[in-house]
Amino acid sequence: MTVRTKNLGNAGETFAANFLEQKGYKIISKNFRVRSAEIDIVAELDGTIIFVEVKTRSDIKHGLPIEAVNFRKQQKIIEAASVFLQDEKYCDCACRFDVVEVYSDGVKFYARHIENAFEVTSEF
């Protein structure tokens, strides 16, 4: 990952967090890490815990941002979410998995929020 890509990703995550806050979400955690998995944003809205993967792109030459949230990436997010729920004592809360696609033209940022982007297919 290049410095430019990392900086774009960090800026996209900051933009996404602000975007969600403007929509009424409460940000609980950012960059929650466990082993080799990470959740970009953990938020809460109306008693539901939302695990948010942020994908930032400056163009779509390599596909839409959500396409990067493949099955393997989903499994890593679910693994980290399970640990978060146990560690933070949120075991009885409803939860969901969202993706925020962030696009940047180098000056402005734009976001597309995809609620329930994927679901857990087994007990976790």
Side-chain angles (χ1 to χ4, degrees), residues 25 28 43-50 93-96:
Y25 289 70
I28 298 171
E44 185 270 330
L45 180 68
D46 299 329
T48 299
I49 303 299
I50 299 109
C93 290
C95 68
R96 71 173 199 240

Side-chain angles (χ1 to χ4, degrees), residues 55-68 101 103:
K55 288 296 180 188
T56 306
R57 299 288 185 268
S58 57
D59 59 54
I60 56 170
K61 284 190 279 191
H62 302 290
L64 297 173
I66 195 165
E67 293 171 345
E101 294 180 320
Y103 300 90

